[in-house]
Amino acid sequence: MLKIKQLKARIAGNDILKGIDLEVKAGEVHAIMGPNGSGKSTLAKVLAGDPVAEVTGGEVLFEGKNLMELPPEERALAGVFMAFQYPVEIPGVNNAAFLRMAYNAKRKAQKKDEVDPLEFDAILQEKRKVVEIPEDFLNRSVNQGFSGGEKKRNEILQMAVLEPRLAVLDETDSGLDVDALRIVATGVTRLKRPDNAMILVTHYQRLLNYIVPDYVHILSGGRIVRSGGKDLALEVEEKGYDWLTEGQGLRK
């Protein structure tokens, strides 16, 4: 599904990614871990098409297409979804209407008929229950006045509605208390299917207690310095990152 070859990128003139190689297949969950400044969020930004990240080398293929040639909106329509570390507030834009417009944009791209508000409400109610989202989320402005945990839950509701092929979750666990983490992680797990894949960017093992990854990759200095199974995350939890990053050019 996703093939990354020797990906290099910079932000504000600073080289962050220095040669990332990664392959993600359908049905897989990959966790990207690493200390601050290692390039985890930059990798997520590159995949989503954030213009702040300048790609300086390498290749990213998504289902055979050169992802780097597509603007962000076309990546989204192709099935790439990103849950932001800091979801933005959109005052005055009704959450349910926002989701319906996004849902219909995807259907239009797939040459399917758009759904009317009544049809979409039935879809939305079903998705809301799957990811345990309170009904009052739907009629509020997008993320306006939401707590940090509510914003993350709203991101998962967007993911449930749009049913992406590849979901990139950038530190979805940050700022969540224990209960919010469990709800968000349970929602994400319920959205896992054999025909989709997920990349989880996270600092901590605790998210992976709920969403068990098939592979764990450790980034340091803009490169993947170690890959393994779920036990690698447990080892990091016990030992920290120093034993993996020593001599790898970790940026302080």
Side-chain angles (χ1 to χ4, degrees), residues 12-181:
N14 298 312
D15 292 325
I16 308 295
L17 302 184
K18 300 175 182 176
I20 298 287
D21 291 301
L22 180 66
E23 182 169 356
V24 179
K25 297 177 181 176
E28 294 180 346
V29 176
H30 289 243
I32 305 293
M33 303 182 72
N36 287 330
S38 57
K40 304 185 301 298
S41 290
T42 298
L43 175 60
K45 291 178 190 296
V46 168
L47 294 177
D50 189 329
V52 74
E54 178 191 357
V55 175
T56 56
E59 183 179 54
V60 181
L61 297 177
F62 174 64
E63 298 193 315
K65 298 178 182 176
N66 185 346
L67 200 63
M68 298 299 98
E69 291 182 347
L70 303 178
E73 62 272 21
E74 290 188 18
R75 299 183 195 197
L77 292 173
V80 177
F81 173 86
M82 180 169 172
F84 293 95
Q85 185 175 356
Y86 303 106
V88 298
E89 297 185 2
I90 311 178
V93 177
N94 177 272
N95 204 25
F98 173 79
L99 289 167
R100 180 168 59 85
M101 286 187 286
Y103 183 80
N104 276 333
K106 178 184 173 185
R107 288 184 64 86
K108 187 176 180 180
Q110 294 173 336
K111 303 189 184 307
K112 297 179 180 177
D113 293 336
E114 297 183 20
V115 299
D116 62 33
L118 191 60
E119 290 175 299
F120 182 70
D121 184 62
I123 295 168
L124 190 52
Q125 291 297 336
E126 178 189 343
K127 299 296 185 183
R128 178 183 70 77
K129 293 174 183 174
V130 169
V131 292
E132 299 183 45
I133 299 294
E135 188 164 10
D136 69 347
F137 271 43
L138 306 180
N139 293 317
R140 297 164 66 180
S141 294
V142 179
N143 290 329
Q144 186 178 28
F146 284 29
S147 68
E150 288 176 331
K151 288 179 180 177
K152 298 300 179 71
R153 290 167 70 179
N154 206 35
E155 294 280 282
I156 303 309
L157 176 60
Q158 294 171 16
M159 179 178 164
V161 168
L162 295 174
E163 298 182 337
R165 292 273 288 147
L166 175 67
V168 182
L169 309 182
D170 186 10
E171 298 196 27
T172 294
D173 53 335
S174 67
L176 299 184
D177 60 28
V178 173
D179 290 334
L181 175 66

